Amino acid sequence: NAGVTQTPKFQVLKTGQSMTLQCAQDMNHEYMSWYRQDPGMGLRLIHYSVGAGITDQGEVPNGYNVSRSTTEDFPLRLLSAAPSQTSVYFCASSYSMMGGDSYEQYFGPGTRLTVT
Amino acid sequence: KNQVEQSPQSLIILEGKNCTLQCNYTVSPFSNLRWYKQDTGRGPVSLTIMTFSENTKSNGRYTATLDADTKQSSLHITASQLSDSASYICVVSPMDSSYKLIFGSGTRLLVRP
């Protein structure tokens, strides 16, 4: 199993540009999520999905879109990049995250994004 | 507001020594509490997951404890190795919004030879 894969590893954007961060998992996990990690702060949830066709907002969703057309893929779209979106982005997946479940959550290697 | 606070922010220890990292949380009720290890430039990797009813969970040289009454957890590392140098993150899953994990900002551990 490749686990959770993310592309690209690094990206530099100019303000106002758009792009898509790719995330894929091969573990047949229903739950997938996107986080951003900023210095001195804990990971913050951007969007999550509990299955194909189902997405919802996390703590910091503004400026980002997601879709989940397949179980395997969960891309994150930046609509119009801003310097405040400079961060490290992590995708994660888990078999289930329902209340009472304690399944392990697997993280991808991250995408380091700089917006100038 | 649900919060997870970790201490210390950073820690330096000598190889072979033990250390304990602390996590205080206000999330209540909660479903489970997790500890992750994050190497520099990599994604977090799960070390332990404890449900609200568990008191301790081990993974090799890593032992996590949980006191739900005082809302505290600790991660004890025994006989530290250079490869233990990393950030350690405490994460709590709220019972009423289990999809929305709450992450602490982590403790950065450096193990020196």
Side-chain angles (χ1 to χ4, degrees):
Chain A
N1 286 351
V4 180
T5 58
Q6 291 183 239
T7 57
K9 201 166 177 58
F10 301 95
Q11 182 71 49
V12 178
L13 289 178
K14 292 189 187 318
T15 297
Q17 287 184 316
S18 62
M19 78 159 296
T20 299
L21 307 185
Q22 301 292 344
C23 173
Q25 53 90 9
D26 61 358
M27 297 173 281
N28 202 31
H29 285 168
E30 291 295 327
Y31 177 83
M32 295 185 74
S33 54
W34 276 102
Y35 296 90
R36 60 178 289 172
Q37 186 173 39
D38 300 298
M41 301 180 69
L43 275 78
R44 291 182 292 168
L45 182 65
I46 303 171
H47 286 285
Y48 66 94
S49 168
V50 299
I54 306 169
T55 63
D56 205 348
Q57 295 181 349
E59 181 185 356
V60 288
N62 292 342
Y64 308 94
N65 269 359
V66 292
S67 60
R68 182 104 179 264
S69 56
T70 68
T71 299
E72 295 78 20
D73 300 299
F74 191 42
L76 177 72
R77 279 181 286 277
L78 279 70
L79 308 173
S80 176
S84 60
Q85 293 179 305
T86 293
S87 188
V88 181
Y89 291 84
F90 289 100
C91 178
S93 77
S94 176
Y95 177 74
S96 171
M97 293 291 282
M98 294 184 67
D101 289 340
S102 297
Y103 292 101
E104 189 169 329
Q105 190 174 30
Y106 296 86
F107 284 82
T111 294
R112 187 173 294 273
L113 175 69
T114 301
V115 182
T116 61
Chain B
K1 183 181 176 184
N2 286 331
Q3 286 188 309
V4 176
E5 304 281 349
Q6 293 188 242
S7 62
Q9 254 187 327
S10 61
L11 181 63
I12 301 174
I13 63 173
L14 292 177
E15 186 179 11
K17 298 296 186 183
N18 303 335
C19 68
T20 300
L21 313 180
Q22 300 291 345
C23 173
N24 293 340
Y25 59 92
T26 61
V27 183
S28 182
F30 70 99
S31 174
N32 56 64
L33 185 145
R34 305 161 183 249
W35 282 94
Y36 287 89
K37 177 187 180 188
Q38 184 176 22
D39 292 316
T40 300
R42 293 179 170 260
V45 174
S46 179
L47 291 176
T48 63
I49 304 173
M50 292 181 289
T51 67
F52 63 89
S53 60
E54 293 180 293
N55 298 119
T56 186
K57 185 70 70 81
S58 290
N59 178 359
R61 295 180 296 103
Y62 301 100
T63 299
T65 62
L66 173 62
D67 186 334
D69 291 333
T70 60
K71 294 186 172 58
Q72 294 181 324
S73 176
S74 63
L75 180 69
H76 187 74
I77 304 175
T78 305
S80 61
Q81 300 176 357
L82 298 180
S83 59
D84 291 332
S85 295
S87 288
Y88 293 85
I89 304 171
C90 176
V91 185
V92 180
S93 173
M95 183 68 80
D96 59 355
S97 56
S98 57
Y99 301 114
K100 301 181 180 181
L101 302 182
I102 300 173
F103 288 73
S105 56
T107 292
R108 185 175 293 275
L109 175 67
L110 177 62
V111 180
R112 287 217 161 116

